[in-house]
Amino acid sequence: RSPHHTVSHVGLVGGGTNPRPGEISLAHNGILFLDELPEFSRMALEVLRQPLEDRKVTISRANGSYTFPTNIMCIAAMNPCPCGFLGHPHKGCTDSPLQINRYRSKISGPLWDRIDMHIDVPALRYSEMIETHNEESSHDVRLRVKEARAKQRQRLGPTKCNAMLSSREIKETAALDASCMEVLQQAMERMGLSARVCDRMRKVARTIADLDNAPAIETHHLLEAINFRSVQVQTPLEAMEMAIPY
């Protein structure tokens, strides 16, 4: 499902006088793609938080409560700034730091925490676009993913994957050795990460280990998971603050 950013919060999570499922439930067991994420209304984005966490949404009315499933993969895309050119190798950004901060602040910290991977996709140069690479085929990737899924089914059962691990299961399934714990501690302190983000990074690291056919999470798996929460392109104000010696 790929709703337009003008969708209401009721259209997104469901509701109405006679409650009906919203886009997040219509995408159950599939993908909900939110393009131009900051353009969605603040209320629509905020009501996504609990359904993403619980994988279900409950709507209460005078005549009863209705629960709809929301077991989805949520994928969102956004520009780094309103004009779209912040960090571009050739075009300069025309937005002020205040405009950029206002644009990004529409997405709250708790919602950011519920998105497992934050990946910066820089603009490609023409030479990079036409360059040919000997890349892994989609068929080969699919086989690796199927193998990793098979490991998860064997470990967790037929209806669960690493993304659904509870806090207790994370300690058992995504256990970390001393070196990994030290890396995680440094990442949390330097990046100011919450406990929720910490758990989600361990889930991602467990999946990376499964793809690597490794029985346990190793340091390079955890480092890759941390790298998948890459810092967004800095605003001019952020870059200036980082340059000031304290």
Side-chain angles (χ1 to χ4, degrees):
R1 305 289 296 190
S2 181
H4 192 261
H5 60 75
T6 56
V7 67
S8 67
H9 68 280
V10 172
L12 199 56
V13 300
T17 306
N18 298 312
R20 298 170 61 87
E23 292 289 333
I24 192 171
S25 294
L26 296 174
H28 179 61
N29 285 335
I31 293 173
L32 178 69
F33 177 53
L34 304 176
D35 196 14
E36 301 293 347
L37 187 65
E39 300 299 335
F40 285 78
S41 73
R42 182 67 182 258
M43 180 177 291
L45 293 178
E46 289 303 298
V47 295
L48 282 176
R49 286 160 49 177
Q50 208 59 39
L52 288 176
E53 190 79 15
D54 297 341
R55 300 184 181 274
K56 63 181 179 180
V57 59
T58 300
I59 300 166
S60 298
R61 293 291 181 267
N63 60 345
S65 295
Y66 303 80
T67 299
F68 301 114
T70 61
N71 184 25
I72 63 162
M73 179 182 291
C74 182
I75 301 177
M78 62 178 286
N79 288 314
C81 63
C83 77
F85 295 123
L86 182 63
H88 196 282
H90 304 302
K91 296 184 178 180
C93 176
T94 59
D95 301 310
S96 68
L98 181 62
Q99 288 175 309
I100 298 171
N101 290 333
R102 186 183 296 122
Y103 175 75
R104 294 182 181 176
S105 65
K106 292 184 68 175
I107 307 167
S108 67
L111 181 58
W112 275 124
D113 285 356
R114 286 167 170 83
I115 300 176
D116 293 350
M117 302 167 68
H118 305 165
I119 301 173
D120 182 30
V121 184
L124 290 176
R125 295 179 174 84
Y126 178 72
S127 58
E128 295 171 327
M129 292 174 60
I130 63 173
E131 187 179 359
T132 57
H133 301 278
N134 293 323
E135 297 177 344
E136 190 176 17
S137 69
S138 296
H139 175 72
D140 292 339
V141 173
R142 182 173 182 267
L143 291 178
R144 287 197 297 111
V145 171
K146 288 183 68 175
E147 290 175 2
R149 281 285 194 164
K151 293 184 181 71
Q152 294 177 37
R153 284 194 297 270
Q154 184 178 8
R155 188 167 58 236
L156 305 170
T159 61
K160 250 188 163 180
C161 62
N162 290 337
M164 303 176 189
L165 293 173
S166 65
S167 296
R168 178 183 59 81
E169 291 170 329
I170 290 173
K171 294 178 182 178
E172 299 171 356
T173 306
L176 303 178
D177 60 20
S179 60
C180 287
M181 290 296 289
E182 184 178 354
V183 168
L184 185 60
Q185 179 184 354
Q186 292 178 4
M188 289 191 68
E189 292 174 352
R190 293 181 183 180
M191 300 170 68
L193 304 177
S194 66
R196 178 183 288 113
V197 173
C198 175
D199 283 348
R200 289 179 178 271
M201 286 197 305
R202 289 177 68 170
K203 295 177 188 179
V204 174
R206 178 65 264 183
T207 298
I208 294 170
D210 287 338
L211 289 167
D212 198 28
N213 201 25
I217 297 174
E218 300 173 12
T219 305
H220 62 96
H221 299 141
L222 183 59
L223 287 171
E224 186 174 349
I226 294 170
N227 192 56
F228 279 135
R229 293 191 75 89
S230 60
V231 180
Q232 299 173 29
V233 177
Q234 296 172 349
T235 66
L237 181 60
E238 291 168 339
M240 182 179 69
E241 289 175 344
M242 291 191 69
I244 297 174
Y246 291 97

